[in-house]
Amino acid sequence: MPALDPIRGLRVVADPAALDAARWTAVGGDPGPVATDIDRITVLRFASDDAFALGATAVDVDDEHAIVEDEPGFVGGWCSLDDLRRHLEWSLPGARPVLCQGLIAGVPAKLWLPDDDDALLLTAVAFADVLSERLGWRR
Amino acid sequence: MTDKALPPGSGTAEDPAALAGGRIVVDGRPLPFRPGDPIAVAILRAGEQPARGGTLCLAGDCPNCLATVDGVSFVRTCQVPCRPGLRVERHPADGLPPLPSVQDSTLAEPPRHREIHVERREVEVAVIGGGRSGSAAAAQARARGRAVLVMDAADGSEVVAIYPGPTIVARTSAGMLHVHPEEIVVATGVAEIQPVCPGSHLAGLVTTRAAERLHAAGVDLGHAIAVGPPPDGVPCDPVSGRLVGFEGDEAGHVRAVVMADPATGDRRTIPCDTAVLGLGYAPRDVLARMAASGADGTGGAAEAVRVVGPAADDHPLPPAPADPSAVVCPCHQVTVVDLEGAWDRGFRELELLKRATLAGIGTCQGGACLPHVRAWISERTGTVPEPFTARPASRQITIAEAAANVHIDAFRRTPLHDEHLAAGAAMDRFGGWWRPWHYGNHLAEYWAVREGVSIGDVSTLGKVVVSGPDVVEFLERLYPCRIADIQPGRSRYALLLNERGHVMDDGMILREADTRFVLSFTSGGAANAEMWIRDWIDAWGLAVHVLDRTMSLAAINVTGPLAGRLLVRAGLADPPRFLRHAHAEVAGIPCHVMRLSFTGEAAWELHHPADRSVELWRALLELGRDLGVRPHGLQALFALRLEKGHVIVGMDTELDTTPRRLGMDWAVRMDKPAFIGRAALERTARLPDHRRLVGFTMDGPDAPVEGSPIWSAGDIIGHVTGSWHSPVLGRTVLLGWQKRTPFPESVEIDGRLAVVAATPFYDPEGRRARA
């Protein structure tokens, strides 16, 4: 049974061009159960000026006003898309990899789809329990 | 004319073929069916009627075969195949079927419900209707390489709605099917026109296609006569002329058709057992209209919808109904007289007539009456009105079907949710969050704040970081207070106004650096405030970054005269002074420590990473054990703030509340050149106002309930927004609205005298909060 676990990473809001060129590093520490391999940081672009870098612990971004914060506000879990389809009332984009967002089982959530089979489901930690309950996932 | 019992229907239980399918149970009696029989056909074969009469179409278009099937009322029995043991109860001849299951249920034991499975499918082309034109459209789409789904009620997929998106909702034997297509082809064909004339309620009337279907099913129609084009292969006698009406027997079955010579008007009566009616066609376009108009009036899915085949063709309207007593709408028994009455009262458009008479809003959604009402209007105006709007659902669906896979709003939980439950908290929903209302003794929680130390979970507060070279300029425009003079490490209370000068929200502005601030908002207003911020940054084109930390950071309010001592124990050697803030570790956890006060006592909010919140909460409880620390819930917090006269936006305010009405002009600097709402405040400042939120006090131990009306000179002049019998003050304190001038200095609330009093009621100099 899939589960929603804490996700570790860095949240950065900065100029889009600076974010495009940002250099991410992961230095030591446990990347958490759903983060990617510690040497392979996955950067989720929530918006053009907003990135969540899974597994990253530091960033070099050329924007003196950038907001850089440890991000403890999300939980996530890997699953197959088939686990989720009946809980979606919106169409998945066709491109891969892609980040998309919408209600899943009535809960605001994001989906990271690296390929056609796997999905990383993310939601705010405040919704973790209710989403787990509705999906029948372990928490 | 034959003398047998009420045709149509010659099949009997003795017919061996009839037993091949099994038996259904109709009104408690077993009734045989043949394989493939819909319920209506099986009942007709037994010589009975599925409902109270009227012209049967057996195509799902009319309301004349509705019954309760397996506990679900208003089911079209012509669309449901028989299966052994299926229970059918005919609706009462007068009135509606009883609500199922409700009578024996209570709030504690609600009626049993079915779990409806929902299947979602994404397709390129969805074709609604599997007939000739639908099949052709599907074949064409497939030839273009498109993925096609064909849905037809006859094949088990009954489409009941099209929503913007588009999303098609269909009912299947397995549950509900939600289809998300790129393109919709509506190929639903045509419905047969129903008669509108005296006697149209009788049994024994069938449309041409229904007659063909019954004949094919082996149902004997008796002596049938055909009005209009005769059905294929069905033995019947055609009659000519204009249909005048039907005559029936005492049992309510047709016995004759009355026709008139178009030239002379001479009438003749033709005896029959069954009248087969070929009165023309109307497009079966309810789904096409639904898609075009949208379920919510926002434009629907028109661009993605194509109507093909007979459903797209123009069909002549029937003659306008003339006989005053004729029933136009069989669902609601609307007669021609009813239409005339509404017309005379000024309802002279189709949509208005529908609302005034209810014609068209019944179970068939205008399938029977719409052509006749359009013809009736056309005769009066000379213009054929467009059909009325169609909205989901086009077919009766149960609440369980409509609610399948639909969730109630998801309420957020703070990281301390389980801690609250373990402490015995009564949880309730406020501002989109689950929050502790109390922990069993709200008075003890109150006194812990006033005389000792208490902690409260304020993780729900909005927390937004803004940063950028234009951030000061942005905040100066956004807020009505001064920004530039807030020094790093200082903070200021602020109202958030809209362009009309109305209070949207409030919170704190905390400066962290020259170009970086943290803004806090109310729990319920945070999401709206964040959108507001982003919209204005975009509108003004300012260089400001925004990060909403509301759900990433938890927050604990440590408050009470002993709060500072507790924080020192937790490692905060020098807690910030009033309206200052700093980043520091508390109990080993990195916190943004903010000194402010909502309770009226010394208070520090500790904003910290959500994943460290339980650790911090437990540490504070442990470190303050000998100080008597205990958590407080919202009930105590609301009382504490009321004694201080602090306003809660959304609870005390209304949508058009201005700072002046709250007595909070002090929070607005009109000497600033520009901020949102300034122009409106400047304009309205010169006008008299007739509303104000004020404090009241009253004697007696019982506080009036919030929402109580406020009386003056026999009139209600406002209502109470907050009410609490203050233990520390020994009297009841209230906030409430006065909405009539001159503002009285005393009023009556809950039958008692209440006197206007200045706020804060408690510690008006604020010494305790600053201590």
Side-chain angles (χ1 to χ4, degrees), chain A residues 63 65 69-71 86 88-90 105 126-127 129 133-134, chain B residues 120 178 405 407-408 412-413 467 469 515-516 545 549 552:
Chain A
D63 178 353
H65 300 289
E69 300 284 351
D70 287 325
E71 180 55 273
R86 75 186 186 92
L88 296 171
E89 282 291 337
W90 41 281
F127 289 120
D129 286 328
E133 289 164 8
R134 291 182 180 183
Chain B
R120 284 190 68 256
H178 294 187
N405 225 22
H407 298 281
I408 62 170
R412 291 166 284 180
R413 301 178 191 178
S467 170
T515 57
R516 177 174 166 127
H545 298 315
R549 304 282 282 159
S552 303

PDB file of all heavy atoms in Angstrom, chain A residues 63 65 69-71 86 88-90 105 126-127 129 133-134, chain B residues 120 178 405 407-408 412-413 467 469 515-516 545 549 552:
ATOM      1  N   ASP A  63      20.188  35.797  -7.665  1.00  0.00           N
ATOM      2  CA  ASP A  63      19.110  36.759  -7.419  1.00  0.00           C
ATOM      3  C   ASP A  63      19.212  37.148  -5.944  1.00  0.00           C
ATOM      4  O   ASP A  63      18.883  36.345  -5.057  1.00  0.00           O
ATOM      5  CB  ASP A  63      17.748  36.132  -7.722  1.00  0.00           C
ATOM      6  CG  ASP A  63      16.592  37.089  -7.431  1.00  0.00           C
ATOM      7  OD1 ASP A  63      16.848  38.184  -6.869  1.00  0.00           O
ATOM      8  OD2 ASP A  63      15.441  36.743  -7.752  1.00  0.00           O
ATOM      9  N   HIS A  65      17.494  38.884  -4.130  1.00  0.00           N
ATOM     10  CA  HIS A  65      16.221  38.944  -3.401  1.00  0.00           C
ATOM     11  C   HIS A  65      15.510  37.595  -3.356  1.00  0.00           C
ATOM     12  O   HIS A  65      14.345  37.528  -2.930  1.00  0.00           O
ATOM     13  CB  HIS A  65      15.310  39.995  -4.038  1.00  0.00           C
ATOM     14  CG  HIS A  65      15.906  41.365  -4.024  1.00  0.00           C
ATOM     15  ND1 HIS A  65      16.055  42.096  -2.874  1.00  0.00           N
ATOM     16  CD2 HIS A  65      16.429  42.131  -5.022  1.00  0.00           C
ATOM     17  CE1 HIS A  65      16.621  43.267  -3.156  1.00  0.00           C
ATOM     18  NE2 HIS A  65      16.874  43.310  -4.456  1.00  0.00           N
ATOM     19  N   GLU A  69      14.232  28.738   1.245  1.00  0.00           N
ATOM     20  CA  GLU A  69      13.792  28.179   2.526  1.00  0.00           C
ATOM     21  C   GLU A  69      13.827  26.661   2.473  1.00  0.00           C
ATOM     22  O   GLU A  69      13.497  26.059   1.441  1.00  0.00           O
ATOM     23  CB  GLU A  69      12.343  28.612   2.833  1.00  0.00           C
ATOM     24  CG  GLU A  69      12.137  30.100   2.933  1.00  0.00           C
ATOM     25  CD  GLU A  69      12.649  30.688   4.241  1.00  0.00           C
ATOM     26  OE1 GLU A  69      13.003  29.903   5.143  1.00  0.00           O
ATOM     27  OE2 GLU A  69      12.705  31.927   4.356  1.00  0.00           O
ATOM     28  N   ASP A  70      14.200  26.055   3.597  1.00  0.00           N
ATOM     29  CA  ASP A  70      13.934  24.621   3.738  1.00  0.00           C
ATOM     30  C   ASP A  70      12.431  24.433   3.661  1.00  0.00           C
ATOM     31  O   ASP A  70      11.676  25.224   4.245  1.00  0.00           O
ATOM     32  CB  ASP A  70      14.451  24.101   5.085  1.00  0.00           C
ATOM     33  CG  ASP A  70      15.969  24.022   5.103  1.00  0.00           C
ATOM     34  OD1 ASP A  70      16.552  23.703   4.053  1.00  0.00           O
ATOM     35  OD2 ASP A  70      16.549  24.306   6.165  1.00  0.00           O
ATOM     36  N   GLU A  71      12.018  23.403   2.979  1.00  0.00           N
ATOM     37  CA  GLU A  71      10.580  23.218   2.767  1.00  0.00           C
ATOM     38  C   GLU A  71      10.091  21.965   3.483  1.00  0.00           C
ATOM     39  O   GLU A  71      10.272  20.848   3.007  1.00  0.00           O
ATOM     40  CB  GLU A  71      10.285  23.105   1.270  1.00  0.00           C
ATOM     41  CG  GLU A  71       8.811  22.909   0.930  1.00  0.00           C
ATOM     42  CD  GLU A  71       7.932  23.988   1.525  1.00  0.00           C
ATOM     43  OE1 GLU A  71       7.513  23.806   2.690  1.00  0.00           O
ATOM     44  OE2 GLU A  71       7.670  24.996   0.851  1.00  0.00           O
ATOM     45  N   ARG A  86      -8.966   6.935 -10.798  1.00  0.00           N
ATOM     46  CA  ARG A  86     -10.373   7.057 -10.415  1.00  0.00           C
ATOM     47  C   ARG A  86     -10.604   8.200  -9.424  1.00  0.00           C
ATOM     48  O   ARG A  86     -11.734   8.547  -9.134  1.00  0.00           O
ATOM     49  CB  ARG A  86     -10.910   5.736  -9.855  1.00  0.00           C
ATOM     50  CG  ARG A  86     -10.473   5.390  -8.450  1.00  0.00           C
ATOM     51  CD  ARG A  86     -10.960   4.009  -8.085  1.00  0.00           C
ATOM     52  NE  ARG A  86     -10.687   3.684  -6.713  1.00  0.00           N
ATOM     53  CZ  ARG A  86     -11.528   3.896  -5.713  1.00  0.00           C
ATOM     54  NH1 ARG A  86     -12.696   4.447  -5.948  1.00  0.00           N
ATOM     55  NH2 ARG A  86     -11.213   3.552  -4.491  1.00  0.00           N
ATOM     56  N   LEU A  88      -9.218  11.194  -9.964  1.00  0.00           N
ATOM     57  CA  LEU A  88      -8.987  12.423 -10.731  1.00  0.00           C
ATOM     58  C   LEU A  88     -10.243  12.797 -11.487  1.00  0.00           C
ATOM     59  O   LEU A  88     -10.895  11.950 -12.073  1.00  0.00           O
ATOM     60  CB  LEU A  88      -7.853  12.225 -11.745  1.00  0.00           C
ATOM     61  CG  LEU A  88      -6.463  11.945 -11.221  1.00  0.00           C
ATOM     62  CD1 LEU A  88      -5.558  11.557 -12.389  1.00  0.00           C
ATOM     63  CD2 LEU A  88      -5.915  13.180 -10.561  1.00  0.00           C
ATOM     64  N   GLU A  89     -10.550  14.078 -11.494  1.00  0.00           N
ATOM     65  CA  GLU A  89     -11.644  14.559 -12.333  1.00  0.00           C
ATOM     66  C   GLU A  89     -11.101  15.548 -13.347  1.00  0.00           C
ATOM     67  O   GLU A  89     -11.792  16.465 -13.759  1.00  0.00           O
ATOM     68  CB  GLU A  89     -12.746  15.192 -11.475  1.00  0.00           C
ATOM     69  CG  GLU A  89     -13.649  14.179 -10.801  1.00  0.00           C
ATOM     70  CD  GLU A  89     -14.549  13.423 -11.771  1.00  0.00           C
ATOM     71  OE1 GLU A  89     -14.816  13.933 -12.864  1.00  0.00           O
ATOM     72  OE2 GLU A  89     -14.968  12.303 -11.430  1.00  0.00           O
ATOM     73  N   TRP A  90      -9.851  15.391 -13.715  1.00  0.00           N
ATOM     74  CA  TRP A  90      -9.256  16.287 -14.704  1.00  0.00           C
ATOM     75  C   TRP A  90      -8.306  15.479 -15.554  1.00  0.00           C
ATOM     76  O   TRP A  90      -7.891  14.371 -15.205  1.00  0.00           O
ATOM     77  CB  TRP A  90      -8.540  17.461 -14.042  1.00  0.00           C
ATOM     78  CG  TRP A  90      -7.743  17.136 -12.807  1.00  0.00           C
ATOM     79  CD1 TRP A  90      -8.225  16.953 -11.545  1.00  0.00           C
ATOM     80  CD2 TRP A  90      -6.318  16.929 -12.722  1.00  0.00           C
ATOM     81  NE1 TRP A  90      -7.197  16.665 -10.685  1.00  0.00           N
ATOM     82  CE2 TRP A  90      -6.025  16.657 -11.367  1.00  0.00           C
ATOM     83  CE3 TRP A  90      -5.278  16.982 -13.637  1.00  0.00           C
ATOM     84  CZ2 TRP A  90      -4.728  16.408 -10.922  1.00  0.00           C
ATOM     85  CZ3 TRP A  90      -3.982  16.749 -13.199  1.00  0.00           C
ATOM     86  CH2 TRP A  90      -3.722  16.459 -11.850  1.00  0.00           C
ATOM     87  N   ALA A 105      -9.062  13.194  -5.292  1.00  0.00           N
ATOM     88  CA  ALA A 105     -10.008  12.806  -4.242  1.00  0.00           C
ATOM     89  C   ALA A 105     -10.501  14.032  -3.492  1.00  0.00           C
ATOM     90  O   ALA A 105     -10.721  13.997  -2.281  1.00  0.00           O
ATOM     91  CB  ALA A 105      -9.387  11.783  -3.297  1.00  0.00           C
ATOM     92  N   ALA A 126      -0.617  19.670   5.613  1.00  0.00           N
ATOM     93  CA  ALA A 126      -1.900  19.879   6.283  1.00  0.00           C
ATOM     94  C   ALA A 126      -3.012  19.022   5.685  1.00  0.00           C
ATOM     95  O   ALA A 126      -4.047  18.813   6.318  1.00  0.00           O
ATOM     96  CB  ALA A 126      -2.294  21.358   6.213  1.00  0.00           C
ATOM     97  N   PHE A 127      -2.806  18.548   4.472  1.00  0.00           N
ATOM     98  CA  PHE A 127      -3.806  17.693   3.827  1.00  0.00           C
ATOM     99  C   PHE A 127      -3.401  16.213   3.855  1.00  0.00           C
ATOM    100  O   PHE A 127      -4.096  15.375   3.279  1.00  0.00           O
ATOM    101  CB  PHE A 127      -4.005  18.117   2.371  1.00  0.00           C
ATOM    102  CG  PHE A 127      -4.718  19.419   2.197  1.00  0.00           C
ATOM    103  CD1 PHE A 127      -4.112  20.476   1.549  1.00  0.00           C
ATOM    104  CD2 PHE A 127      -6.011  19.588   2.650  1.00  0.00           C
ATOM    105  CE1 PHE A 127      -4.773  21.697   1.367  1.00  0.00           C
ATOM    106  CE2 PHE A 127      -6.688  20.793   2.486  1.00  0.00           C
ATOM    107  CZ  PHE A 127      -6.059  21.849   1.843  1.00  0.00           C
ATOM    108  N   ASP A 129      -3.306  13.774   6.054  1.00  0.00           N
ATOM    109  CA  ASP A 129      -4.191  12.773   6.647  1.00  0.00           C
ATOM    110  C   ASP A 129      -5.457  12.568   5.830  1.00  0.00           C
ATOM    111  O   ASP A 129      -5.870  11.437   5.575  1.00  0.00           O
ATOM    112  CB  ASP A 129      -4.546  13.175   8.080  1.00  0.00           C
ATOM    113  CG  ASP A 129      -3.378  12.972   9.032  1.00  0.00           C
ATOM    114  OD1 ASP A 129      -2.595  12.040   8.799  1.00  0.00           O
ATOM    115  OD2 ASP A 129      -3.247  13.755   9.983  1.00  0.00           O
ATOM    116  N   GLU A 133      -6.536   9.147   3.908  1.00  0.00           N
ATOM    117  CA  GLU A 133      -7.790   8.465   4.229  1.00  0.00           C
ATOM    118  C   GLU A 133      -8.629   8.243   2.968  1.00  0.00           C
ATOM    119  O   GLU A 133      -9.198   7.180   2.759  1.00  0.00           O
ATOM    120  CB  GLU A 133      -8.581   9.303   5.236  1.00  0.00           C
ATOM    121  CG  GLU A 133      -7.969   9.308   6.628  1.00  0.00           C
ATOM    122  CD  GLU A 133      -8.517  10.428   7.508  1.00  0.00           C
ATOM    123  OE1 GLU A 133      -9.481  11.105   7.084  1.00  0.00           O
ATOM    124  OE2 GLU A 133      -7.967  10.623   8.605  1.00  0.00           O
ATOM    125  N   ARG A 134      -8.694   9.257   2.133  1.00  0.00           N
ATOM    126  CA  ARG A 134      -9.550   9.138   0.947  1.00  0.00           C
ATOM    127  C   ARG A 134      -8.970   8.186  -0.093  1.00  0.00           C
ATOM    128  O   ARG A 134      -9.711   7.572  -0.846  1.00  0.00           O
ATOM    129  CB  ARG A 134      -9.773  10.527   0.343  1.00  0.00           C
ATOM    130  CG  ARG A 134     -10.635  11.403   1.235  1.00  0.00           C
ATOM    131  CD  ARG A 134     -10.904  12.766   0.631  1.00  0.00           C
ATOM    132  NE  ARG A 134     -11.729  13.567   1.537  1.00  0.00           N
ATOM    133  CZ  ARG A 134     -12.181  14.785   1.247  1.00  0.00           C
ATOM    134  NH1 ARG A 134     -11.874  15.348   0.083  1.00  0.00           N
ATOM    135  NH2 ARG A 134     -12.924  15.445   2.111  1.00  0.00           N
TER     136      ARG A 134
ATOM    137  N   ARG B 120     -13.648   6.692 -14.703  1.00  0.00           N
ATOM    138  CA  ARG B 120     -13.264   7.855 -15.511  1.00  0.00           C
ATOM    139  C   ARG B 120     -12.595   7.398 -16.785  1.00  0.00           C
ATOM    140  O   ARG B 120     -11.805   6.458 -16.774  1.00  0.00           O
ATOM    141  CB  ARG B 120     -12.282   8.744 -14.751  1.00  0.00           C
ATOM    142  CG  ARG B 120     -12.884   9.600 -13.682  1.00  0.00           C
ATOM    143  CD  ARG B 120     -11.847  10.597 -13.207  1.00  0.00           C
ATOM    144  NE  ARG B 120     -11.551  11.571 -14.252  1.00  0.00           N
ATOM    145  CZ  ARG B 120     -10.458  11.566 -15.008  1.00  0.00           C
ATOM    146  NH1 ARG B 120      -9.535  10.644 -14.862  1.00  0.00           N
ATOM    147  NH2 ARG B 120     -10.268  12.476 -15.928  1.00  0.00           N
ATOM    148  N   HIS B 178     -17.699   8.813 -15.964  1.00  0.00           N
ATOM    149  CA  HIS B 178     -17.352  10.206 -16.245  1.00  0.00           C
ATOM    150  C   HIS B 178     -16.358  10.207 -17.409  1.00  0.00           C
ATOM    151  O   HIS B 178     -15.252   9.678 -17.284  1.00  0.00           O
ATOM    152  CB  HIS B 178     -16.717  10.874 -15.026  1.00  0.00           C
ATOM    153  CG  HIS B 178     -17.668  11.026 -13.876  1.00  0.00           C
ATOM    154  ND1 HIS B 178     -17.351  11.732 -12.737  1.00  0.00           N
ATOM    155  CD2 HIS B 178     -18.928  10.576 -13.685  1.00  0.00           C
ATOM    156  CE1 HIS B 178     -18.391  11.700 -11.896  1.00  0.00           C
ATOM    157  NE2 HIS B 178     -19.355  10.988 -12.451  1.00  0.00           N
ATOM    158  N   ASN B 405     -18.231   9.669  -5.856  1.00  0.00           N
ATOM    159  CA  ASN B 405     -16.851  10.145  -5.993  1.00  0.00           C
ATOM    160  C   ASN B 405     -16.710  11.635  -5.724  1.00  0.00           C
ATOM    161  O   ASN B 405     -15.701  12.238  -6.071  1.00  0.00           O
ATOM    162  CB  ASN B 405     -16.290   9.828  -7.377  1.00  0.00           C
ATOM    163  CG  ASN B 405     -14.886   9.260  -7.273  1.00  0.00           C
ATOM    164  OD1 ASN B 405     -14.498   8.745  -6.230  1.00  0.00           O
ATOM    165  ND2 ASN B 405     -14.133   9.352  -8.347  1.00  0.00           N
ATOM    166  N   HIS B 407     -16.387  14.618  -3.032  1.00  0.00           N
ATOM    167  CA  HIS B 407     -15.950  14.749  -1.649  1.00  0.00           C
ATOM    168  C   HIS B 407     -16.386  16.091  -1.069  1.00  0.00           C
ATOM    169  O   HIS B 407     -16.487  17.073  -1.792  1.00  0.00           O
ATOM    170  CB  HIS B 407     -14.424  14.673  -1.558  1.00  0.00           C
ATOM    171  CG  HIS B 407     -13.873  13.376  -2.024  1.00  0.00           C
ATOM    172  ND1 HIS B 407     -13.885  12.244  -1.253  1.00  0.00           N
ATOM    173  CD2 HIS B 407     -13.319  13.017  -3.199  1.00  0.00           C
ATOM    174  CE1 HIS B 407     -13.337  11.247  -1.921  1.00  0.00           C
ATOM    175  NE2 HIS B 407     -12.993  11.693  -3.112  1.00  0.00           N
ATOM    176  N   ILE B 408     -16.622  16.115   0.211  1.00  0.00           N
ATOM    177  CA  ILE B 408     -16.814  17.397   0.880  1.00  0.00           C
ATOM    178  C   ILE B 408     -15.465  18.099   0.941  1.00  0.00           C
ATOM    179  O   ILE B 408     -14.422  17.503   0.688  1.00  0.00           O
ATOM    180  CB  ILE B 408     -17.399  17.233   2.298  1.00  0.00           C
ATOM    181  CG1 ILE B 408     -16.440  16.430   3.174  1.00  0.00           C
ATOM    182  CG2 ILE B 408     -18.756  16.593   2.249  1.00  0.00           C
ATOM    183  CD1 ILE B 408     -16.827  16.444   4.629  1.00  0.00           C
ATOM    184  N   ARG B 412      -8.021  21.299   6.573  1.00  0.00           N
ATOM    185  CA  ARG B 412      -6.618  21.069   6.893  1.00  0.00           C
ATOM    186  C   ARG B 412      -6.426  20.740   8.375  1.00  0.00           C
ATOM    187  O   ARG B 412      -7.233  21.132   9.216  1.00  0.00           O
ATOM    188  CB  ARG B 412      -5.803  22.314   6.519  1.00  0.00           C
ATOM    189  CG  ARG B 412      -5.702  22.529   5.027  1.00  0.00           C
ATOM    190  CD  ARG B 412      -5.195  23.910   4.687  1.00  0.00           C
ATOM    191  NE  ARG B 412      -6.236  24.903   4.880  1.00  0.00           N
ATOM    192  CZ  ARG B 412      -6.079  26.214   4.649  1.00  0.00           C
ATOM    193  NH1 ARG B 412      -4.916  26.658   4.230  1.00  0.00           N
ATOM    194  NH2 ARG B 412      -7.075  27.046   4.832  1.00  0.00           N
ATOM    195  N   ARG B 413      -5.371  20.034   8.646  1.00  0.00           N
ATOM    196  CA  ARG B 413      -5.020  19.700  10.024  1.00  0.00           C
ATOM    197  C   ARG B 413      -3.638  20.265  10.303  1.00  0.00           C
ATOM    198  O   ARG B 413      -2.729  20.153   9.484  1.00  0.00           O
ATOM    199  CB  ARG B 413      -4.995  18.184  10.219  1.00  0.00           C
ATOM    200  CG  ARG B 413      -6.331  17.535   9.909  1.00  0.00           C
ATOM    201  CD  ARG B 413      -6.277  16.032  10.049  1.00  0.00           C
ATOM    202  NE  ARG B 413      -7.488  15.425   9.494  1.00  0.00           N
ATOM    203  CZ  ARG B 413      -7.724  14.117   9.438  1.00  0.00           C
ATOM    204  NH1 ARG B 413      -6.839  13.275   9.915  1.00  0.00           N
ATOM    205  NH2 ARG B 413      -8.834  13.658   8.906  1.00  0.00           N
ATOM    206  N   SER B 467       9.675  39.594  -0.826  1.00  0.00           N
ATOM    207  CA  SER B 467      11.051  40.042  -0.932  1.00  0.00           C
ATOM    208  C   SER B 467      11.271  40.631  -2.314  1.00  0.00           C
ATOM    209  O   SER B 467      10.734  40.134  -3.301  1.00  0.00           O
ATOM    210  CB  SER B 467      11.998  38.848  -0.706  1.00  0.00           C
ATOM    211  OG  SER B 467      13.331  39.187  -1.013  1.00  0.00           O
ATOM    212  N   PRO B 469      13.292  44.220  -4.648  1.00  0.00           N
ATOM    213  CA  PRO B 469      13.687  45.639  -4.624  1.00  0.00           C
ATOM    214  C   PRO B 469      12.501  46.581  -4.501  1.00  0.00           C
ATOM    215  O   PRO B 469      12.656  47.703  -4.009  1.00  0.00           O
ATOM    216  CB  PRO B 469      14.413  45.815  -5.973  1.00  0.00           C
ATOM    217  CG  PRO B 469      13.947  44.682  -6.829  1.00  0.00           C
ATOM    218  CD  PRO B 469      13.669  43.553  -5.904  1.00  0.00           C
ATOM    219  N   THR B 515      14.701  44.643   2.337  1.00  0.00           N
ATOM    220  CA  THR B 515      13.856  44.256   1.198  1.00  0.00           C
ATOM    221  C   THR B 515      13.130  42.944   1.450  1.00  0.00           C
ATOM    222  O   THR B 515      12.748  42.250   0.510  1.00  0.00           O
ATOM    223  CB  THR B 515      14.706  44.118  -0.078  1.00  0.00           C
ATOM    224  OG1 THR B 515      15.744  43.155   0.160  1.00  0.00           O
ATOM    225  CG2 THR B 515      15.296  45.457  -0.483  1.00  0.00           C
ATOM    226  N   ARG B 516      12.927  42.596   2.684  1.00  0.00           N
ATOM    227  CA  ARG B 516      12.234  41.342   2.981  1.00  0.00           C
ATOM    228  C   ARG B 516      11.318  41.527   4.195  1.00  0.00           C
ATOM    229  O   ARG B 516      11.732  42.030   5.240  1.00  0.00           O
ATOM    230  CB  ARG B 516      13.241  40.218   3.244  1.00  0.00           C
ATOM    231  CG  ARG B 516      12.584  38.895   3.634  1.00  0.00           C
ATOM    232  CD  ARG B 516      13.625  37.798   3.738  1.00  0.00           C
ATOM    233  NE  ARG B 516      13.094  36.633   4.415  1.00  0.00           N
ATOM    234  CZ  ARG B 516      13.134  35.393   3.936  1.00  0.00           C
ATOM    235  NH1 ARG B 516      13.702  35.155   2.764  1.00  0.00           N
ATOM    236  NH2 ARG B 516      12.644  34.399   4.627  1.00  0.00           N
ATOM    237  N   HIS B 545       9.077  39.109  -4.948  1.00  0.00           N
ATOM    238  CA  HIS B 545       8.875  37.662  -4.869  1.00  0.00           C
ATOM    239  C   HIS B 545       7.914  37.348  -3.725  1.00  0.00           C
ATOM    240  O   HIS B 545       7.915  38.043  -2.697  1.00  0.00           O
ATOM    241  CB  HIS B 545      10.186  36.933  -4.599  1.00  0.00           C
ATOM    242  CG  HIS B 545      11.211  37.106  -5.677  1.00  0.00           C
ATOM    243  ND1 HIS B 545      10.916  37.004  -7.018  1.00  0.00           N
ATOM    244  CD2 HIS B 545      12.548  37.371  -5.608  1.00  0.00           C
ATOM    245  CE1 HIS B 545      12.013  37.185  -7.732  1.00  0.00           C
ATOM    246  NE2 HIS B 545      13.015  37.412  -6.899  1.00  0.00           N
ATOM    247  N   ARG B 549       4.046  30.551   3.154  1.00  0.00           N
ATOM    248  CA  ARG B 549       4.598  29.565   4.088  1.00  0.00           C
ATOM    249  C   ARG B 549       3.534  29.044   5.043  1.00  0.00           C
ATOM    250  O   ARG B 549       3.868  28.391   6.047  1.00  0.00           O
ATOM    251  CB  ARG B 549       5.729  30.208   4.896  1.00  0.00           C
ATOM    252  CG  ARG B 549       6.837  30.804   4.056  1.00  0.00           C
ATOM    253  CD  ARG B 549       7.766  29.742   3.527  1.00  0.00           C
ATOM    254  NE  ARG B 549       8.693  29.280   4.549  1.00  0.00           N
ATOM    255  CZ  ARG B 549       9.331  28.108   4.487  1.00  0.00           C
ATOM    256  NH1 ARG B 549       9.102  27.291   3.488  1.00  0.00           N
ATOM    257  NH2 ARG B 549      10.180  27.755   5.443  1.00  0.00           N
ATOM    258  N   SER B 552       3.751  25.425   5.596  1.00  0.00           N
ATOM    259  CA  SER B 552       5.102  24.921   5.832  1.00  0.00           C
ATOM    260  C   SER B 552       5.575  25.218   7.246  1.00  0.00           C
ATOM    261  O   SER B 552       6.413  24.511   7.793  1.00  0.00           O
ATOM    262  CB  SER B 552       6.079  25.554   4.835  1.00  0.00           C
ATOM    263  OG  SER B 552       5.664  25.284   3.514  1.00  0.00           O
TER     264      SER B 552
END
